[in-house]
């Protein structure tokens, strides 16, 4: 049986301390250390974006999701990728609807060209992409996920938006956030993000969890997993991260692995059960062979 997540609390006062925030995150099954709780608390209290950097799978995206539940605010996610531009992140005009409106107006005998042109750029035809939605939604949590995958030009544009939380739409004017969203920016460090963006944010590097914390995470998320199995999986995950793998497992993969083992009724991790379920934690053929060797042949 999975951990029962409490309903989001109504938006209201911010937690009074890093410890209080950690307790609220804990209620939603996100266990964080003092450093992360403090960085998150200060970002909320100071109204600054939180820049989370670390290897894939350490819990950066999950923190933003959990924070939204804690704050009782919708999560608005901007997934970054190579080639992402401002229109895809900001807004676009709904061209098909504009054409339909134009045809309907012509069929009704509209003759005022200037008025008709003005109607085409009414707010109802504006498609709000994640950044604009976040500015118009109060409160909200904006997750800018894997910003390191975007181009330098987009990074500069994002910095401009995060500086004053305003967006200029030439046809409509300036749109300003009544209450700036809580912003979480994540990076897997596939490339270095420019210092200008980092300076705008509070920064925290997320490490893989310690053995004890990972056992606690497994037990919290998967209470059906026996304590002995949770410990074995956490120890095995640490061993795999120390091996020369193409993609070391993160916490998400550790949880997937444990869930697979529990589904098979496994109570002790042995070579046979590990070999059968390793696809839940390692995603490359080369990693599978190296992982089994690291786990059961002494590396």
């Amino acid at each position: 049986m999975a951990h029962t997540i409490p309903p989001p609390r109504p938006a209201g006062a911010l937690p009074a301390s890093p410890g209080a925030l950690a307790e609220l995150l804990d209620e939603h099954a996100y266990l964080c250390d003092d450093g992360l709780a403090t960085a998150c608390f200060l970002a909320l209290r100071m109204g600054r974006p939180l820049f989370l950097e670390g290897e894939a799978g350490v819990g950066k995206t999950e923190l933003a999701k959990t924070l939204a539940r804690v704050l009782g605010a919708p999560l608005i996610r901007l997934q970054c990728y190579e080639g992402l531009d401002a229109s895809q992140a900001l807004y676009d005009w709904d061209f098909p609807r504009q054409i339909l409106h134009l045809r309907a107006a012509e069929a009704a005998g509209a003759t005022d060209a200037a008025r008709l042109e003005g109607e085409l750029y009414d707010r109802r035809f504006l498609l709000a992409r994640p950044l604009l939605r976040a500015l118009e939604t109060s409160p909200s949590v904006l997750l800018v996920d894997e910003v390191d995958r975007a181009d330098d030009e987009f990074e500069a544009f994002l910095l401009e938006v995060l500086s004053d939380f305003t967006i200029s739409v030439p046809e409509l004017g300036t749109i300003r956030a009544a209450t700036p969203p809580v912003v979480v920016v994540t990076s897997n460090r596939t490339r270095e993000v420019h210092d200008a963006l980092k300076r705008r944010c509070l920064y925290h590097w997320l490490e893989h969890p310690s053995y004890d914390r990972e056992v606690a995470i497994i037990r919290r998320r998967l209470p059906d997993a026996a304590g002995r199995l949770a410990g074995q999986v956490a120890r095995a995950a640490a061993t795999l991260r120390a091996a020369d793998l193409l993609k070391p497992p993160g916490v998400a993969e550790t949880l997937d692995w444990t869930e697979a083992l529990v589904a098979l009724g496994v109570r002790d991790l042995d070579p046979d059960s590990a070999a059968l379920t390793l696809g839940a934690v390692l995603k490359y053929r080369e990693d599978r062979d190296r992982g089994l060797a690291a786990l059961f042949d002494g590396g």
Side-chain angles (χ1 to χ4, degrees), residues 1-280:
M1 179 179 177
H3 172 73
T4 301
I5 301 295
R9 67 177 194 153
L14 296 177
S17 67
L21 177 57
E23 290 178 3
L24 290 172
L25 292 169
D26 190 354
E27 289 178 7
H28 290 265
Y30 190 96
L31 307 182
C32 64
D33 59 23
D34 292 341
L36 179 56
T38 300
C40 192
F41 170 80
L42 291 175
L44 294 175
R45 197 45 80 87
M46 297 168 65
R48 299 279 293 277
L50 178 61
F51 191 101
L52 299 176
E53 202 165 39
E55 295 184 26
V58 294
K60 303 183 295 295
T61 299
E62 190 62 27
L63 174 64
K65 293 178 179 179
T66 309
L67 188 60
R69 291 195 292 267
V70 164
L71 297 176
L75 176 74
I76 299 174
R77 180 175 182 174
L78 173 60
Q79 179 62 52
C80 297
Y81 53 88
E82 186 177 355
L84 177 67
D85 61 28
S87 65
Q88 294 163 319
L90 196 54
Y91 69 87
D92 206 351
W93 290 103
D94 191 341
F95 182 68
R97 286 191 63 203
Q98 288 175 317
I99 292 297
L100 288 174
H101 177 75
L102 184 62
R103 290 175 178 172
E106 290 175 344
T111 57
D112 189 338
R115 177 181 175 183
L116 186 57
E117 182 179 355
E119 289 177 351
L120 289 177
Y121 293 98
D122 187 81
R123 180 63 181 82
R124 58 184 162 149
F125 296 120
L126 191 69
L127 295 174
R129 305 301 187 193
L131 291 180
L132 180 56
R133 288 208 316 273
L135 265 60
E136 292 186 318
T137 305
S138 179
S140 65
V141 174
L142 171 63
L143 168 60
V144 183
D145 215 5
E146 298 182 326
V147 71
D148 52 317
R149 296 185 180 275
D151 302 324
D152 291 351
E153 293 79 6
F154 178 78
E155 195 177 311
F157 162 75
L158 180 63
L159 176 63
E160 181 181 348
V161 173
L162 296 183
S163 294
D164 54 12
F165 294 102
T166 62
I167 290 172
S168 177
V169 181
E171 298 85 355
L172 298 177
T174 299
I175 298 175
R176 183 183 302 274
T179 301
V182 174
V183 181
V184 178
V185 183
T186 76
S187 168
N188 293 336
R189 208 172 187 180
T190 59
R191 69 169 177 85
E192 287 296 334
V193 175
H194 289 183
D195 288 343
L197 180 57
K198 285 187 175 181
R199 283 198 301 269
R200 180 70 186 83
C201 307
L202 295 179
Y203 177 86
H204 188 79
W205 173 269
L206 265 73
E207 300 280 0
H208 286 291
S210 66
Y211 168 78
D212 289 338
R213 187 171 297 278
E214 191 150 23
V215 170
I217 292 171
I218 293 170
R219 298 302 307 278
R220 191 64 181 279
R221 292 295 185 97
L222 300 168
D224 284 349
R228 177 179 173 85
L229 180 64
Q232 291 171 335
V233 171
R235 189 171 293 107
T239 299
L240 292 173
R241 290 171 192 144
D244 184 22
L245 301 182
L246 296 173
K247 173 62 175 69
V251 176
E253 287 78 22
T254 302
L255 291 170
D256 286 345
W257 196 12
T258 308
E259 186 175 3
L261 293 165
V262 170
L264 292 174
V266 175
R267 299 191 64 83
D268 282 290
L269 185 65
D270 55 33
D272 289 339
S273 60
L276 289 172
T277 57
L278 211 55

Side-chain angles (χ1 to χ4, degrees), residues 273-294:
S273 60
L276 289 172
T277 57
L278 211 55
V281 68
L282 299 179
K283 311 300 181 178
Y284 292 90
R285 178 183 177 183
E286 299 89 337
D287 283 354
R288 172 189 169 85
D289 297 337
R290 293 171 188 165
L292 284 173

